[in-house]
Amino acid sequence: MSENNLVISIDAMGGDNSPRVVIEGLAIAAKKNPDIRFLLFGKEAQIRATLDNYPQLQRVCEIRNADEVVRNEDKPSSVIRNKNTSMYMAIDAVRKGEAQAVVSAGNTGALMAISKMVLKTIQKIHRPAIVSMMPHINGKYVMLDLGANTECSAINLAEFAMMGDILARCALGIARPRVALLNIGAEEMKGKEEIHKAAQMIRNSHMNIDFIGYIEPHEIPNNKADVIVADGFTGNIALKSIEGTARLVMRMIKNAVKGSFLAKIGLPFMMGVVLRIKKTMDPRLYNGAMFVGLNGLSVKSHGGTDALGFSVAVNNAASLVRQNFVATIRNEIEKIDLDELSQEAIYDLY
Amino acid sequence: MSENNLVISIDAMGGDNSPRVVIEGLAIAAKKNPDIRFLLFGKEAQIRATLDNYPQLQRVCEIRNADEVVRNEDKPSSVIRNKNTSMYMAIDAVRKGEAQAVVSAGNTGALMAISKMVLKTIQKIHRPAIVSMMPHINGKYVMLDLGANTECSAINLAEFAMMGDILARCALGIARPRVALLNIGAEEMKGKEEIHKAAQMIRNSHMNIDFIGYIEPHEIPNNKADVIVADGFTGNIALKSIEGTARLVMRMIKNAVKGSFLAKIGLPFMMGVVLRIKKTMDPRLYNGAMFVGLNGLSVKSHGGTDALGFSVAVNNAASLVRQNFVATIRNEIEKIDLDELSQEAIYDLY
């Protein structure tokens, strides 16, 4: 076992074709991040069967046997208190301080529920949020909340803005991210009251962020902001609209090419372009939804991704740990008093 | 002047390059719909200057001079009571029964506000909504509300479902449209309470619609539903996310082709495919947002569209009038008592 201090805890049993895909993913991530150690939770015999093929990886891995597995069809409420699952044990390693982050490709609802219960929300943060990175015309942006909180108050949105700012700095390396609230118009009074209040609160707070006001969804791809803040319902609607449309356009093109003799002749010339687009839009490169606002980082890999996709989720977790993501949020929330600003906002109404 | 009974009132001064583009659009629409008469409102001299080039169109047009014009920068509140604008007069012609629908490419906010004030909401309908047609993988669907109502109750959503059903039958010719509520999950308890209540209300009502439950945004392009129902905030977020992403993907492809010598060689073979995709996604073919739920139909054409785009908005208005769209809504709302169902839903909570 190596002496590396950056430790990531892995639920080896989550996702399709686990633990094989998980371990193949770790092999890729380990090459890119020679400073990481992994704690692998799951059925030891199964893990060993694949891990034995990766002697390099083996040197930075420690296996902890877990007899039980959270299945995709399990309800969060029915597994949340079972301490013998690979998922629970992997999360609990972060609480114990044995690891700084956990990555799982398992049941999303269960991962969120157990992470919240075990790691607990950072003091003074009202609600954790789900964040992802996504592609715009010439780079990436982060969007949150993507579904942890269906309804959000102005305080929640203001905290998401702060956490999103820190995440964009840590994971995207943007020195001063432009932070925007997602809304249906650019004018001050468009959209919902919580959004107006959140804008006011962010402006009046001591948050040191570059808040640029409202952004409409069709402006997101034009690299107008680095952090997009929304309540979990709106963020989820935007995320799924974007994903569905990107797939629709690609399928329409594919169908059109299939139906055209001439296009088939031209296709070989286009392969470079096709590959470049596929690479830009490759969902594996944006894998890893981060559950932020907790005392420790919990990352959800897509259950159907492959080794490359899983390695991206691990890379994201590693960059956030290296940049002291959780400690930075704790520091920042100490400097601002959103509850007081919220009171002021209420007084303003009279 | 012809004897046609289908009369559409036109704000000839709305949109860019009016009245020229408007009249060129009417020329296209008139060819396709020889049964329509047009009432044109605006500056008579300017209208005549273009209309004189279209003797065929002239025969089905009547000009009514309007000295004033609503500008794009005008606030709805400042123009809503000015009865001398081409927009007001065009809408008022529907109230007077001189026309069955009005089409304008002018200021959206003003058109909605004046339409609502002059035409008034249909009795028993609680809120009007904005509807558009959009492309999915092998056809079209309608989505509402796209922004008329930021917050919606369950009753509002249930009424939108009913109006959307009628619209899909009238404008898309679908005999029994599949109607779905937009949500962030397919399970019964996902998303917001209003959505759950609306689903219950639609199921318990005497509405004769094919209600298929919830739909998530990424499923929309897969031809899973013909009518997508949401509150105006959520609908607007989805609409703009879809538009922005479609443009993003097309631009990424364009940039990739530009940067590749090989792709440029292959491009001529691809022209058929490019044109086919462009035609499927051509925003002009989906032009015309319909303001429904009023005593008369008000259609908003995009301000920057060309003659073809404007003609599509006119065609949409004409098909709805021919199918007795407004009368069908009036009939349908008489058969159901959503207020009573809403009371029942409240009792259910105890």
Side-chain angles (χ1 to χ4, degrees):
Chain A
M1 193 68 191
S2 86
E3 292 296 307
N4 289 345
N5 292 325
L6 202 170
V7 184
I8 295 182
S9 165
I10 304 289
D11 169 13
M13 309 308 287
D16 308 343
N17 304 310
S18 61
R20 185 180 52 76
V21 167
V22 169
I23 291 162
E24 289 171 3
L26 292 182
I28 300 174
K31 256 186 210 157
K32 216 176 162 174
N33 304 273
D35 59 334
I36 312 184
R37 261 195 312 138
F38 298 107
L39 294 185
L40 270 65
F41 293 85
K43 300 191 174 178
E44 188 159 359
Q46 285 184 41
I47 293 172
R48 286 217 184 281
T50 306
L51 192 57
D52 283 349
N53 305 326
Y54 298 92
Q56 288 273 24
L57 175 63
Q58 230 168 353
R59 250 172 275 158
V60 293
C61 281
E62 183 185 330
I63 303 174
R64 306 264 180 99
N65 187 65
D67 286 326
E68 296 185 49
V69 171
V70 174
R71 291 161 307 178
N72 278 333
E73 58 274 24
D74 287 334
K75 288 212 166 152
S77 55
S78 70
V79 292
I80 194 167
R81 279 167 216 291
N82 183 347
K83 298 187 176 180
N84 301 318
T85 64
S86 60
M87 186 185 278
Y88 190 105
M89 289 172 69
I91 296 168
D92 206 37
V94 177
R95 180 188 64 81
K96 291 179 187 159
E98 295 180 322
Q100 290 98 46
V102 52
V103 181
S104 172
N107 183 324
T108 309
L111 182 68
M112 297 304 158
I114 301 173
S115 295
K116 203 171 160 180
M117 186 190 67
V118 170
L119 300 178
K120 300 212 160 52
T121 308
I122 291 175
Q123 218 182 346
K124 290 179 103 180
I125 291 275
H126 293 79
R127 297 274 195 90
I130 302 173
V131 198
S132 259
M133 295 180 214
M134 299 171 59
H136 60 57
I137 187 72
N138 50 7
K140 291 181 185 181
Y141 64 94
V142 300
M143 184 150 81
L144 76 168
D145 173 27
L146 297 178
N149 313 281
T150 303
E151 316 261 1
C152 287
S153 68
I155 291 190
N156 300 147
L157 295 173
E159 287 175 356
F160 297 168
M162 183 264 276
M163 295 196 286
D165 171 74
I166 297 172
L167 193 121
R169 283 191 269 143
C170 293
L172 300 180
I174 299 172
R176 195 156 169 76
R178 295 155 301 169
V179 180
L181 286 164
L182 191 61
N183 202 349
I184 58 172
E187 306 84 3
E188 198 62 40
M189 289 321 294
K190 277 271 185 173
K192 299 188 178 183
E193 208 190 323
E194 293 83 40
I195 302 175
H196 307 160
K197 271 197 205 163
Q200 195 189 357
M201 212 180 274
I202 294 168
R203 286 201 181 99
N204 294 348
S205 75
H206 296 101
M207 273 185 226
N208 179 23
I209 66 175
D210 181 14
F211 177 62
I212 60 167
Y214 302 147
I215 190 166
E216 294 178 79
H218 61 282
E219 292 284 14
I220 297 177
N222 301 333
N223 188 9
K224 291 275 173 75
D226 306 299
V227 180
I228 314 288
V229 177
D231 65 76
F233 185 88
T234 305
N236 197 281
I237 290 284
L239 172 74
K240 288 174 177 166
S241 299
I242 291 167
E243 286 177 351
T245 308
R247 274 202 297 269
L248 171 69
V249 176
M250 298 306 274
R251 258 171 66 200
M252 278 181 168
I253 294 172
K254 219 171 170 180
N255 289 349
V257 170
K258 264 191 198 162
S260 155
F261 176 69
L262 217 53
K264 278 186 203 145
I265 297 178
L267 200 54
F269 298 101
M270 290 291 166
M271 283 324 286
V273 168
V274 171
L275 291 175
R276 205 170 132 190
I277 297 291
K278 269 201 169 165
K279 210 184 150 183
T280 313
M281 314 245 301
D282 188 345
R284 296 178 302 175
L285 303 185
Y286 305 94
N287 186 35
M290 290 151 278
F291 200 37
V292 302
L294 304 178
N295 295 297
L297 187 67
S298 179
V299 177
K300 165 72 172 92
S301 164
H302 198 284
T305 196
D306 64 4
L308 178 62
F310 194 85
S311 79
V312 171
V314 174
N315 291 343
N316 287 342
S319 1
L320 291 184
V321 171
R322 266 191 218 105
Q323 310 278 330
N324 283 315
F325 177 66
V326 173
T328 311
I329 292 179
R330 272 202 207 103
N331 262 332
E332 199 58 38
I333 194 72
E334 281 302 323
K335 286 191 220 150
I336 54 181
D337 196 334
L338 291 173
D339 285 303
E340 195 176 289
L341 284 170
S342 172
Q343 288 302 318
E344 282 171 23
I346 290 167
Y347 294 143
D348 279 358
L349 295 176
Y350 292 98
Chain B
M1 192 71 189
S2 87
E3 292 296 307
N4 291 346
N5 292 325
L6 202 171
V7 183
I8 294 182
S9 166
I10 303 290
D11 169 13
M13 309 308 287
D16 308 343
N17 304 311
S18 62
R20 187 180 52 79
V21 167
V22 169
I23 291 163
E24 288 170 3
L26 293 181
I28 300 173
K31 256 186 208 156
K32 217 176 163 175
N33 305 274
D35 60 333
I36 312 184
R37 262 196 310 140
F38 297 107
L39 293 184
L40 271 67
F41 293 85
K43 300 193 175 177
E44 188 160 358
Q46 285 184 39
I47 294 173
R48 285 215 184 280
T50 307
L51 192 57
D52 283 348
N53 304 327
Y54 297 92
Q56 290 273 24
L57 175 64
Q58 229 168 353
R59 251 172 272 158
V60 293
C61 281
E62 185 186 327
I63 304 173
R64 306 265 179 100
N65 187 64
D67 285 327
E68 296 184 50
V69 172
V70 174
R71 291 161 305 176
N72 278 333
E73 59 275 25
D74 287 333
K75 290 210 164 150
S77 54
S78 70
V79 292
I80 194 168
R81 278 166 217 292
N82 183 348
K83 298 186 175 179
N84 301 318
T85 63
S86 60
M87 186 186 277
Y88 190 105
M89 290 172 70
I91 296 168
D92 206 37
V94 177
R95 181 189 62 81
K96 289 180 186 159
E98 296 180 321
Q100 290 99 47
V102 53
V103 181
S104 171
N107 181 324
T108 309
L111 182 69
M112 297 305 158
I114 300 173
S115 296
K116 202 170 162 182
M117 185 188 70
V118 170
L119 300 178
K120 299 209 162 51
T121 308
I122 292 174
Q123 219 182 346
K124 289 178 104 182
I125 292 276
H126 293 78
R127 296 275 193 90
I130 302 173
V131 198
S132 260
M133 295 179 213
M134 297 171 59
H136 59 59
I137 187 72
N138 51 7
K140 292 180 186 182
Y141 64 95
V142 300
M143 183 151 83
L144 76 169
D145 174 27
L146 297 179
N149 314 280
T150 304
E151 315 260 1
C152 286
S153 69
I155 291 190
N156 300 146
L157 295 173
E159 288 175 355
F160 297 168
M162 184 264 277
M163 295 196 286
D165 171 73
I166 299 172
L167 194 122
R169 284 192 269 142
C170 293
L172 300 180
I174 300 171
R176 195 156 168 77
R178 297 155 300 168
V179 180
L181 287 164
L182 190 62
N183 202 349
I184 57 172
E187 306 86 3
E188 200 62 41
M189 290 320 296
K190 276 270 187 171
K192 299 191 178 181
E193 207 191 322
E194 294 82 41
I195 302 174
H196 308 159
K197 273 197 205 163
Q200 196 189 357
M201 211 179 276
I202 294 168
R203 287 201 181 97
N204 294 348
S205 75
H206 296 101
M207 272 185 227
N208 179 24
I209 66 175
D210 181 13
F211 177 62
I212 60 167
Y214 303 147
I215 189 165
E216 294 178 79
H218 61 282
E219 292 285 13
I220 297 177
N222 301 333
N223 188 9
K224 291 274 174 78
D226 306 299
V227 179
I228 313 287
V229 177
D231 65 75
F233 185 88
T234 306
N236 196 280
I237 290 284
L239 171 74
K240 287 175 178 165
S241 298
I242 291 167
E243 287 179 346
T245 309
R247 272 203 297 269
L248 170 69
V249 177
M250 297 307 273
R251 257 172 64 199
M252 278 181 167
I253 294 173
K254 218 172 171 179
N255 289 349
V257 170
K258 263 191 202 162
S260 155
F261 176 69
L262 217 54
K264 277 186 204 146
I265 297 177
L267 199 57
F269 297 101
M270 290 291 166
M271 283 324 286
V273 168
V274 171
L275 290 175
R276 205 170 134 191
I277 296 291
K278 269 203 168 165
K279 208 184 152 182
T280 313
M281 313 245 302
D282 188 345
R284 296 178 304 175
L285 302 184
Y286 305 93
N287 187 34
M290 289 151 280
F291 200 38
V292 303
L294 304 178
N295 295 297
L297 187 67
S298 180
V299 178
K300 165 70 172 95
S301 163
H302 197 285
T305 195
D306 64 5
L308 177 62
F310 195 85
S311 79
V312 171
V314 173
N315 291 344
N316 286 344
S319 4
L320 292 184
V321 170
R322 266 191 218 103
Q323 310 277 330
N324 282 314
F325 176 66
V326 174
T328 311
I329 292 179
R330 272 201 208 103
N331 262 332
E332 200 57 38
I333 194 73
E334 281 303 323
K335 286 190 221 151
I336 54 181
D337 196 333
L338 292 173
D339 286 302
E340 196 175 288
L341 283 171
S342 170
Q343 288 302 317
E344 282 170 25
I346 291 166
Y347 295 143
D348 279 358
L349 295 177
Y350 292 98

